[in-house]
Amino acid sequence: MGTDRKLMQSISYGDDRIRYQVCHVPDRETKVAIHVHPDGSVQVDAPMGAELVEIKKAVQKRARWVMGHIKQAHDLREHVLPREYVSGESYYYQGRRYQLKVLSTEGVKGSVKLHRGKIMVEAEDVSPAHVRKLLWDWYRTRAKDYFARRLIDITSRVFWLAETPEWRLLTMKKQWGSCSPKGVLSINPHLVKAPRECIEYVLLHELCHLQEHNHSPRFYRLLAELIPEWKSVKAKLDGMSELLLNE
């Protein structure tokens, strides 16, 4: 997946400087929306015709709120990284943050399930290495099932796709997906941790490469037809990447 040029702006707040990325979103009405992502980056979604000076005023007006959330994000990062695979840690699944609960149960080889806002891992062996393996196997299984269903649904809605393309799971350190010259999609299983609109964006991005195997203007026009707000969704995914790709 490629990247586009980011429209970065900044304001002063006391002795600090708040940097934020502006995303002009099609069909957005009059107000701007400010998002502070888990990595502490700030994204501002604005209507297509909004002037930068007006957007800056809106950010300045909420600067105290923004700084508070940036601090919370940085505090969370310190709590989450690096992983120790013990109860109390935070993990993501389809955009929601869950608390890990590790239960030591004699005779249980290993199970993972979602239960009341927690990811429950139950096993006789609760060593970090084993809990990590159980979690990763669970994520991969969930990813394979969810991506398969989404690709089937997308294929039915995209007129130039006659059938669901060949695809596979491939763990990557920095990429969410790729498309080979032969048209085989590779999707990072870590992506299942992201919000559903971000998953949809990545799948559509890679499917567009079946038509345009580059990042030409035609590619981005095709992508915009399928997901007009792709820049905003991509910025959201970029802001979560460090936590989602972390093992």
Side-chain angles (χ1 to χ4, degrees):
M1 286 176 57
T3 59
D4 63 308
R5 185 172 61 85
K6 295 181 178 180
L7 182 55
M8 300 301 300
Q9 300 288 303
S10 67
I11 62 168
S12 296
Y13 181 72
D15 295 330
D16 297 308
R17 192 139 196 97
I18 298 174
R19 299 182 73 251
Y20 58 94
Q21 179 181 354
V22 175
C23 294
H24 287 96
V25 182
D27 301 326
R28 187 164 187 84
E29 297 298 331
T30 56
K31 295 182 179 180
V32 303
I34 303 173
H35 312 279
V36 180
H37 298 306
D39 66 352
S41 63
V42 182
Q43 173 187 339
V44 181
D45 290 344
M48 292 300 293
E51 299 288 342
L52 291 179
V53 64
E54 296 301 321
I55 296 172
K56 180 171 287 190
K57 287 180 181 178
V59 178
Q60 193 77 62
K61 186 176 181 179
R62 300 191 66 191
R64 182 177 180 181
W65 178 90
V66 172
M67 283 303 302
H69 279 71
I70 290 174
K71 184 180 184 305
Q72 288 180 17
H74 289 163
D75 290 345
L76 177 61
R77 279 184 75 254
E78 291 180 3
H79 177 67
V80 169
L81 306 175
R83 302 288 191 190
E84 295 181 358
Y85 299 95
V86 295
S87 292
E89 289 185 334
S90 295
Y91 290 80
Y92 286 86
Y93 176 67
Q94 291 192 9
R96 288 190 58 189
R97 185 158 60 90
Y98 293 86
Q99 187 180 71
L100 179 66
K101 180 70 174 179
V102 179
L103 299 174
S104 176
T105 306
E106 187 175 350
V108 176
K109 187 175 181 179
S111 71
V112 182
K113 62 182 179 181
L114 295 178
H115 181 68
R116 295 183 178 179
K118 291 182 172 59
I119 296 180
M120 311 288 292
V121 176
E122 187 175 7
E124 183 170 0
D125 177 6
V126 292
S127 64
H130 192 232
V131 172
R132 178 182 181 276
K133 181 181 184 305
L134 291 174
L135 269 176
W136 186 230
D137 289 346
W138 179 81
Y139 273 124
R140 286 186 63 90
T141 299
R142 290 288 183 120
K144 185 176 182 180
D145 177 66
Y146 186 70
F147 298 163
R149 287 187 283 113
R150 294 310 306 137
L151 283 168
I152 290 172
D153 179 67
I154 291 171
T155 300
S156 70
R157 295 187 282 114
V158 178
F159 73 91
W160 42 264
L161 280 176
E163 60 182 6
T164 304
E166 183 181 348
W167 70 283
R168 61 173 182 159
L169 291 177
L170 178 65
T171 305
M172 294 173 270
K173 292 184 177 181
K174 295 183 178 180
Q175 286 181 275
W176 293 114
S178 64
C179 179
S180 76
K182 293 184 178 180
V184 178
L185 307 186
S186 296
I187 309 297
N188 195 331
H190 284 293
L191 183 63
V192 79
K193 303 173 186 177
R196 293 181 180 183
E197 65 269 26
C198 296
I199 296 173
E200 193 90 346
Y201 156 69
V202 172
L203 297 181
L204 287 169
H205 182 115
E206 300 310 330
L207 288 171
C208 285
H209 281 310
L210 298 175
Q211 292 287 92
E212 284 289 312
H213 206 78
N214 51 45
H215 291 106
S216 65
R218 185 174 182 274
F219 169 85
Y220 285 112
R221 285 196 298 271
L222 188 63
L223 181 62
E225 289 175 5
L226 296 175
I227 179 168
E229 70 282 8
W230 71 268
K231 289 185 180 180
S232 173
V233 178
K234 179 183 181 302
K236 181 176 184 177
L237 181 59
D238 289 345
M240 303 183 72
S241 292
E242 184 180 19
L243 289 183
L244 301 185
L245 291 169
N246 174 56
E247 294 186 59

